[in-house]
Amino acid sequence: MPVHPPAPSDLPGLVEAFARTAQAVVDLGSTCAAADFDLPTDCPGWSVQDQISHVASVECWLEGAPVEQLDLPDLPHVRHRFGRIVEMGVAARRDRDGADVVKELSDVLRLRLAHLRDPALDPDSVVESPLGSRSAAALVALRIKDIWCHEQDIRTALGRPGNLDSAAAATFLSGVVDALPELVATEAAVPVGHTVIIDCTGPVVARVGVRVVEGPDGTPAPELLFSGTATPHVEGPTTTIILNTEALTRRAAGRRSVADLHYTVVGDEDIARAVLEALPMTP
């Protein structure tokens, strides 16, 4: 399932992608006027400042700061226990100046990068954190996807698009592509015998083809059709969904409805819509 340019797979490459997207959040925040911090974003319930607060709070936790303990009211955008933990880090910073939160992120980022760039750090080393136990490489990849998604939220709110061709974008898109086979076969309920091709036109390019077959237990199962960049001849009914990096990643992040999404379908419109409706990967 190719993504081009490919996402980094080594720890130094992952750390560099992390550094660039996190610094982009700092840079965007540094250019905000006071009113900009209050702008709503596509992430439900969060302003531009809340987005920056979220990134800062998680990185502070990873540097050993305790998770804030607040008595939060019931909020419609907080749907589970981990969501409440995340919201505490954001809520704890709502009374602060936006510029102060940007400085906090800039300061903790220097500490994080010093640790992540330590030559003694092993990509397979298990890291304990409020995000759970993960290898260093897996944790950095997780942080890249999260921060880049929130970077795009901030960019959309401020009207400053960018970094859609970055290593962080490729990392996020790789996660989407990896999830597509199971999503097509189960969550989207695509009929057995039908093939779905997702064609992401760029600036980060990806193409994945999945035929739904009957699995050993009689339930629908995904069959990956190809891993090259050219679309092969496929037998049987096929639906191809064509969209760009921004559209695919915004939908996968749950930030854009299918009705508001710009995409092209060759094949069955209903199947395409079912796949796109099932696409959001945020809990």
Side-chain angles (χ1 to χ4, degrees):
M1 294 180 286
V3 172
H4 183 78
S9 57
D10 62 303
L11 186 57
L14 288 166
V15 171
E16 183 61 24
F18 163 82
R20 288 179 179 270
T21 187
Q23 186 60 48
V25 173
V26 171
D27 293 344
L28 287 164
S30 297
T31 64
C32 283
D36 292 335
F37 288 112
D38 293 329
L39 290 172
T41 70
D42 290 337
C43 187
W46 282 6
S47 66
V48 167
Q49 178 165 327
D50 291 338
Q51 299 274 355
I52 300 168
S53 294
H54 166 62
V55 178
S57 63
V58 174
E59 295 310 313
C60 285
W61 298 342
L62 293 172
E63 276 298 300
V67 175
E68 294 81 358
Q69 299 297 319
L70 302 175
D71 186 14
L72 293 177
D74 290 335
L75 299 167
H77 62 278
V78 177
R79 299 186 295 274
H80 44 68
R81 179 179 174 276
F82 186 69
R84 291 188 70 81
I85 293 173
V86 167
E87 191 69 22
M88 287 180 187
V90 173
R93 292 164 172 80
R94 285 208 171 104
D95 292 335
R96 291 166 54 182
D97 289 338
D100 183 48
V101 179
V102 174
K103 183 180 184 303
E104 179 186 29
L105 175 56
S106 180
D107 290 344
V108 75
L109 182 57
R110 283 194 291 272
L111 296 175
R112 294 291 298 134
L113 289 174
H115 290 155
L116 293 173
R117 286 170 173 161
D118 184 341
L121 184 65
D122 187 327
D124 296 323
S125 298
V126 176
V127 178
E128 303 290 342
S129 78
L131 305 182
S133 301
R134 288 178 174 85
S135 71
L139 179 61
V140 175
L142 179 68
R143 296 305 301 133
I144 292 169
K145 294 172 188 175
D146 182 61
I147 295 172
W148 184 81
C149 181
H150 293 297
E151 176 198 337
Q152 295 304 310
D153 289 335
I154 295 168
R155 288 185 178 280
T156 300
L158 297 176
R160 301 175 193 170
N163 270 2
L164 288 167
D165 59 350
S166 63
T171 301
F172 187 95
L173 187 56
S174 291
V176 176
V177 168
D178 288 345
L180 280 169
E182 193 63 31
L183 181 148
V184 167
T186 57
E187 295 179 51
V190 173
V192 170
H194 202 99
T195 295
V196 173
I197 295 173
I198 304 290
D199 189 355
C200 182
T201 59
V204 178
V205 176
R207 183 177 285 115
V208 56
V210 180
R211 176 187 288 118
V212 181
V213 299
E214 187 174 305
D217 60 354
T219 61
E223 179 182 77
L224 190 62
L225 292 182
F226 56 93
S227 57
T229 57
T231 303
H233 174 72
V234 178
E235 297 288 346
T238 300
T239 294
T240 300
I241 306 170
I242 305 165
L243 67 179
N244 64 22
T245 303
E246 192 266 349
L248 180 55
T249 56
R250 290 281 82 190
R251 179 59 194 154
R255 303 302 201 257
R256 190 167 301 165
S257 69
V258 176
D260 293 331
L261 199 66
H262 180 70
Y263 64 97
T264 301
V265 176
V266 180
D268 190 309
E269 292 275 356
D270 290 337
I271 286 178
R273 191 174 299 108
V275 171
L276 293 172
E277 289 288 357
L279 188 59
M281 298 175 184
T282 52

